[in-house]
Amino acid sequence: MPSHSFFLSSKRAHKHFWILTTHNHLHQDHYEKEYFVAGFLLLNTFSEKYPEHGEAWSMKGLFLWHLGYKDQSYECCKKGIEYHPEAPTCWRNYGFLLAKDSKMNESYQYYKKAVALDNYSDPESLHEMACLQTHLRLYQEAMDTRTKLVVLLPEEPSFWIGLAVACHGANQPDKAIKALESYYASKEVSRTSSAYEESEVLLFHTQLLKQQEKYQEALDHLDLFESQITDTKKLKEYRALLLVHRGRKEEAEAIYRQLIQENPYTKNYIDSLLNLQCNDKDKQLWANRLLPMLANEYPRSTTIIDMMLHYTLPAQFKEQVESILQDHLRKGIPSFFARMKSHYKETEKQTIIENLVLEYAESLQCISQFSTDGGEVKEQNSTLAWTFHYLSRHYDFLGQLEKALTYIQQAIQQDPTIVEFHMVHARIKKHQGDLETAARIMNKARTLDLKDRFVNSKCVKYMLRAGYIYKAKEILLLFIKDRFNTKEYLTYLQYQWFIIEEGFAYLKIHDYSRALDRFQNVVSFYKDFKDNEYGFHSFCLEKYTLQTYTELLQWEDKICSHPYYFKAMKGLIQTYLAIDAERKKDKGLCQNIDPKEPHGKPFLFIITLNSSFYLLFLFITDVSLIVNKIKQINVSAVDDEDFNIKPDSETLSETYVESTTPLEDALKSLVTLQSMAPDSIDTHLFSFDVYLCKEQWLLARKSLLAMSQINKSHPSLQMSIERFKAAGKEKIVNL
């Protein structure tokens, strides 16, 4: 078998078989062994003898790139193309540098030129170009390239696997199956794969047959190769699903029961078992028969219990939920309400739960029992405290904040040492709009358990929303090892939630430069995710992780729909709009300044921050002075000395981005937001704001129509319509 190893690394993939002198073999050896300094020095000697040797210049560019001299490496590769434009190696090396710097579209053009000059005869260049095509989702082109690869080296199994994946991406499963059949033949000729690799290929083959709706053929395939498939769980899932499609429900039921026995916490298995025996009309009736039996068989499965409560009729709901409520309140489980609130969608069930817990609270206060017929056994005092805790979460969820506050205060009186009680107290205060008090209460909860990372993170988030930015950073540092370069460390670890909250905190105090910096950092994380995918195109084919690889490609296609990305994009657009609004306001104020008064007009500002009053008498000609003063007040105007933390030297020394064209920058972000979340009303609300500021009336009207189609009763819609009318009238008057 030929010893072609195309997938070990990007460096190994760049072997250059020069023919001119023995120096070329030394260059190749140095590059493979990563002796970049020695290789570069050797190339300098070689260049003195052959100053116009294009491939030498190109190779020197690769060495310089790995040594960290990117600008010089690009110059050397350009010289290589200039001296020897017919050399495929020069074009390929330049494409390699562009791909390493995430310039995929440009890199693809250079690879196309390289393989064309090579008459499509170099497997390495073809493979790298196929990886680029897959990265750019050019599946049809990738199919063509991989077809040329298998023609050149039909005995290489990994090339057939790559062709099958490309056909799958192009939604041509029939061609993918033919490629796998050729893979089986080449594997017998070349080498024997491991058991895991064989299993992955067989399961991928089954997935392709299912995609073609060839269910019986897929079943026969599983039966034939069952002994060679190591992933038994995936084997059972595929077989059960295929049996359902073939109408063999009894066999499918047996497999699903076996899967439930192995993992009774997986909702998909239980749902699939329910769907076997009924349709949507009588599903509730069948569920009320099946789920109680499963609950008796697997009493520790909370998934089965929750599903049983979901399908139970309101008439029987009270009887079933009562024991569950008592058991969990007795144990004091903080997450219990998060489980139960899924049943609040039905008003009757919500009322039953509320009445039961209120009865428990009254009875526990009187006789320390859940009911009068509870026997002689008394409940502990903690049971009453957790009952109050549940009621506070209940009324907080319903929006009855005063009742929620009363019950959580009673819970704290029962036991002031429980962290979760103070966290709920802070949550209620946050919902009431008192962010400062909420932050202080959450900080108190943090001090009750200084080793709890979750409470520490919650406290940091509440601090940021209350405006205590530097105190939040100080608390976060308690759980960070590198305390000397906080921003760089948090960016390296991709602390998305903190960076986003910090961005909104800076936006709140009109520190737009820092806000833009934070939001753009989060957006760059997702670009890094996409760029890092490039290395997996070779790695996954080498390791035969085909199902995981195809799932990765699908996940990458939807990565921009992640809530953090969406939130960062919204923050970016909000910041750009705020910058534009402030500049227009500044321009208007400057126009009103009397030119006869050199110092401008006096302005009186009364600013209320943290219950303290500040009077500022400013004679200004630039409104930016006001904004800077507000920033200083936000940092220093905190009535608690513990929270009065000054910015550290690192923060003061940082440089941040500026936007000179905020509306144009907002429009660029808006295009991305519109493509990834077209069904979100916030997307069209921000579109309306941007188009209105740019006086693009038709596009603004189109955004209003899109908002009305999503939610006609949304409060922002009517306000936006009024703004649109007012802006139109003003424009007509000015004409």
Side-chain angles (χ1 to χ4, degrees):
M1 186 190 89
S3 57
H4 292 282
S5 300
F6 300 105
F7 311 101
L8 295 181
S9 69
S10 58
K11 298 169 186 174
R12 191 173 179 81
H14 277 272
K15 295 180 179 180
H16 302 283
F17 300 97
W18 295 352
I19 306 174
L20 185 61
T21 63
T22 55
H23 286 83
N24 299 329
H25 299 287
L26 292 174
H27 300 157
Q28 174 191 342
D29 187 61
H30 281 75
Y31 188 74
E32 289 180 3
K33 294 180 180 179
E34 301 185 11
Y35 298 156
F36 300 128
V37 175
F40 176 74
L41 294 175
L42 187 63
L43 274 172
N44 273 339
T45 304
F46 182 80
S47 298
E48 291 177 359
K49 297 182 179 179
Y50 304 96
E52 295 185 359
H53 193 280
E55 292 182 346
W57 279 102
S58 180
M59 195 66 190
K60 186 187 293 187
L62 288 183
F63 281 119
L64 285 170
W65 192 92
H66 288 293
L67 291 171
Y69 300 96
K70 290 188 177 182
D71 294 337
Q72 294 88 332
S73 68
Y74 277 106
E75 292 177 5
C76 288
C77 285
K78 286 180 180 178
K79 283 186 178 180
I81 295 175
E82 181 182 346
Y83 288 136
H84 199 171
E86 301 300 322
T89 303
C90 299
W91 293 89
R92 177 180 156 200
N93 286 350
Y94 197 82
F96 168 77
L97 296 184
L98 291 169
K100 282 294 185 180
D101 286 337
S102 303
K103 300 175 182 178
M104 301 301 178
N105 288 295
E106 298 177 45
S107 174
Y108 178 46
Q109 301 303 321
Y110 280 87
Y111 269 101
K112 284 175 65 176
K113 181 70 174 179
V115 297
L117 290 172
D118 233 343
N119 294 321
Y120 302 94
S121 60
D122 182 13
E124 298 174 4
S125 298
L126 286 171
H127 169 68
E128 291 171 9
M129 188 172 74
C131 290
L132 270 173
Q133 289 165 338
T134 305
H135 188 82
L136 297 171
R137 301 300 187 265
L138 302 173
Y139 289 116
Q140 190 62 48
E141 290 82 350
M143 279 179 55
D144 298 337
T145 304
R146 298 234 176 242
T147 302
K148 292 182 176 67
L149 274 172
V150 297
V151 170
L152 285 173
L153 290 173
E155 69 277 10
E156 179 60 43
S158 54
F159 286 169
W160 291 105
I161 292 294
L163 178 59
V165 173
C167 295
H168 175 264
N171 198 23
Q172 299 187 27
D174 53 337
K175 293 184 178 180
I177 291 174
K178 291 180 181 179
L180 288 180
E181 291 171 352
S182 300
Y183 157 78
Y184 299 139
S186 67
K187 177 174 64 64
E188 294 175 1
V189 174
S190 59
R191 65 181 176 85
T192 302
S193 58
S194 67
Y196 173 78
E197 293 173 352
E198 187 73 18
S199 173
E200 282 291 301
V201 174
L202 292 171
L203 286 174
F204 184 60
H205 193 164
T206 306
Q207 179 184 344
L208 294 172
L209 290 170
K210 182 173 71 69
Q211 186 177 345
Q212 287 185 289
E213 299 184 358
K214 297 180 179 179
Y215 303 124
Q216 186 58 50
E217 190 176 341
L219 276 172
D220 296 338
H221 181 265
L222 287 178
D223 294 336
L224 181 62
F225 298 104
E226 180 177 0
S227 60
Q228 301 179 40
I229 296 177
T230 58
D231 191 347
T232 56
K233 183 174 77 72
K234 183 66 72 173
L235 170 66
K236 293 174 184 177
E237 291 175 352
Y238 272 141
R239 176 168 285 158
L241 185 60
L242 294 170
L243 287 170
V244 171
H245 284 295
R246 293 297 298 164
R248 297 157 62 178
K249 294 185 177 181
E250 292 182 0
E251 297 175 65
E253 181 180 347
I255 296 176
Y256 278 125
R257 286 186 180 276
Q258 187 178 357
L259 288 168
I260 293 172
Q261 183 181 5
E262 294 173 359
N263 186 359
Y265 296 93
T266 304
K267 188 175 183 294
N268 290 337
Y269 298 158
I270 305 169
D271 272 333
S272 299
L273 184 59
L274 278 173
N275 294 329
L276 280 177
Q277 301 296 334
C278 60
N279 50 36
D280 293 337
K281 293 182 179 179
D282 57 351
K283 188 173 184 178
Q284 189 170 33
L285 179 62
W286 176 252
N288 288 327
R289 295 176 185 174
L290 174 65
L291 292 174
M293 292 188 293
L294 291 176
N296 291 330
E297 193 174 353
Y298 310 105
R300 297 174 64 89
S301 174
T302 56
T303 304
I304 296 176
I305 294 173
D306 289 341
M307 292 183 67
M308 184 176 64
L309 292 175
H310 173 73
Y311 287 107
T312 301
L313 296 172
Q316 292 83 33
F317 182 76
K318 180 178 180 181
E319 181 182 352
Q320 293 189 3
V321 78
E322 193 165 9
S323 60
I324 298 172
L325 284 170
Q326 292 180 11
D327 182 55
H328 285 75
L329 292 176
R330 188 179 292 116
K331 291 179 180 178
I333 300 175
S335 61
F336 179 49
F337 177 79
R339 277 183 56 198
M340 295 302 295
K341 71 180 181 182
S342 62
H343 308 299
Y344 280 39
K345 297 176 183 177
E346 299 182 46
T347 308
E348 294 181 60
K349 292 183 178 180
Q350 172 193 314
T351 305
I352 291 172
I353 294 174
E354 180 178 354
N355 292 335
L356 280 174
V357 181
L358 285 172
E359 290 175 8
Y360 295 158
E362 184 178 355
S363 180
L364 286 169
Q365 284 180 299
C366 296
I367 59 175
S368 297
Q369 291 180 333
F370 285 111
S371 62
T372 54
D373 56 350
E376 297 181 358
V377 180
K378 303 291 185 182
E379 301 292 341
Q380 298 180 356
N381 292 334
S382 61
T383 305
L384 177 60
W386 285 105
T387 304
F388 287 143
H389 170 268
Y390 186 93
L391 286 170
S392 66
R393 293 293 307 274
H394 169 83
Y395 286 115
D396 179 45
F397 180 76
L398 297 180
Q400 302 179 29
L401 300 180
E402 292 299 328
K403 284 187 177 181
L405 189 60
T406 301
Y407 280 113
I408 198 60
Q409 288 173 346
Q410 290 179 340
I412 293 173
Q413 289 177 1
Q414 290 287 323
D415 192 344
T417 63
I418 296 180
V419 177
E420 287 77 13
F421 293 173
H422 295 280
M423 293 179 69
V424 173
H425 190 190
R427 180 188 181 92
I428 296 169
K429 283 293 184 182
K430 180 189 72 172
H431 291 164
Q432 288 182 330
D434 192 352
L435 298 179
E436 181 184 346
T437 304
R440 297 183 184 281
I441 295 173
M442 189 61 76
N443 188 58
K444 182 178 180 181
R446 179 186 66 85
T447 58
L448 294 176
D449 189 356
L450 296 174
K451 296 181 180 180
D452 193 321
R453 287 177 177 266
F454 174 74
V455 183
N456 183 82
S457 300
K458 275 288 184 182
C459 183
V460 169
K461 183 178 288 189
Y462 274 62
M463 289 286 182
L464 288 172
R465 291 183 178 179
Y468 302 130
I469 300 173
Y470 305 111
K471 179 62 179 179
K473 286 184 179 180
E474 184 190 57
I475 296 173
L476 189 69
L477 286 175
L478 298 175
F479 286 88
I480 292 180
K481 294 180 181 179
D482 187 356
R483 302 189 180 187
F484 301 100
N485 198 341
T486 311
K487 180 176 179 290
E488 182 178 341
Y489 186 73
L490 293 175
T491 303
Y492 173 74
L493 294 181
Q494 297 182 344
Y495 268 59
Q496 295 186 69
W497 67 268
F498 176 82
I499 298 174
I500 290 174
E501 292 292 341
E502 189 183 19
F504 280 109
Y506 282 127
L507 176 59
K508 199 173 181 180
I509 62 172
H510 309 290
D511 193 343
Y512 301 127
S513 296
R514 285 187 171 90
L516 284 177
D517 178 78
R518 280 12 179 211
F519 293 134
Q520 289 179 359
N521 268 349
V522 176
V523 172
S524 69
F525 294 159
Y526 291 85
K527 184 179 181 301
D528 293 341
F529 295 159
K530 181 65 178 176
D531 294 341
N532 292 337
E533 176 201 316
Y534 180 67
F536 285 92
H537 298 304
S538 291
F539 177 81
C540 292
L541 292 180
E542 178 198 356
K543 297 297 182 182
Y544 286 70
T545 56
L546 302 183
Q547 294 186 98
T548 306
Y549 176 47
T550 53
E551 290 173 1
L552 169 68
L553 296 179
Q554 294 170 2
W555 177 79
E556 287 280 4
D557 291 339
K558 300 183 293 185
I559 192 173
C560 289
S561 63
H562 193 281
Y564 280 153
Y565 182 85
F566 186 70
K567 198 171 183 179
M569 291 298 292
K570 286 171 60 178
L572 262 181
I573 295 173
Q574 282 181 321
T575 307
Y576 287 133
L577 291 175
I579 294 173
D580 180 71
E582 186 170 284
R583 288 183 176 178
K584 289 179 179 178
K585 184 178 178 181
D586 293 352
K587 185 177 179 181
L589 285 175
C590 291
Q591 289 175 353
N592 293 330
I593 295 177
D594 189 348
K596 296 180 181 179
E597 300 179 13
H599 298 290
K601 295 184 178 181
F603 291 89
L604 173 63
F605 284 85
I606 304 178
I607 302 173
T608 306
L609 289 174
N610 304 321
S611 302
S612 301
F613 293 91
Y614 297 84
L615 299 182
L616 305 180
F617 293 90
L618 300 175
F619 288 86
I620 64 171
T621 56
D622 188 358
V623 179
S624 61
L625 296 176
I626 303 176
V627 178
N628 292 334
K629 192 64 179 178
I630 294 175
K631 293 177 185 177
Q632 296 173 10
I633 291 174
N634 183 80
V635 173
S636 60
V638 182
D639 57 357
D640 190 339
E641 292 182 358
D642 294 336
F643 288 2
N644 191 9
I645 306 298
K646 295 182 179 180
D648 52 22
S649 57
E650 173 195 350
T651 304
L652 293 174
S653 64
E654 289 175 352
T655 57
Y656 298 98
V657 295
E658 296 284 352
S659 177
T660 56
T661 55
L663 288 181
E664 286 70 18
D665 294 337
L667 200 57
K668 294 177 184 177
S669 303
L670 191 61
V671 171
T672 307
L673 202 62
Q674 289 170 340
S675 63
M676 74 174 189
D679 298 328
S680 173
I681 196 168
D682 287 335
T683 298
H684 301 290
L685 179 60
F686 288 127
S687 301
F688 170 77
D689 289 334
V690 174
Y691 294 141
L692 191 65
C693 290
K694 291 181 69 66
E695 296 185 355
Q696 296 179 347
W697 309 105
L698 290 177
L699 291 175
R701 182 177 178 275
K702 184 178 178 181
S703 299
L704 291 176
L705 291 175
M707 290 172 63
S708 64
Q709 292 176 357
I710 296 173
N711 187 356
K712 291 184 178 181
S713 59
H714 197 278
S716 299
L717 176 59
Q718 190 59 38
M719 295 174 59
S720 299
I721 292 174
E722 296 299 328
R723 288 175 54 203
F724 183 75
K725 292 179 179 178
K729 291 179 180 178
E730 183 179 354
K731 184 68 176 178
I732 293 173
V733 171
N734 292 335
L735 288 176

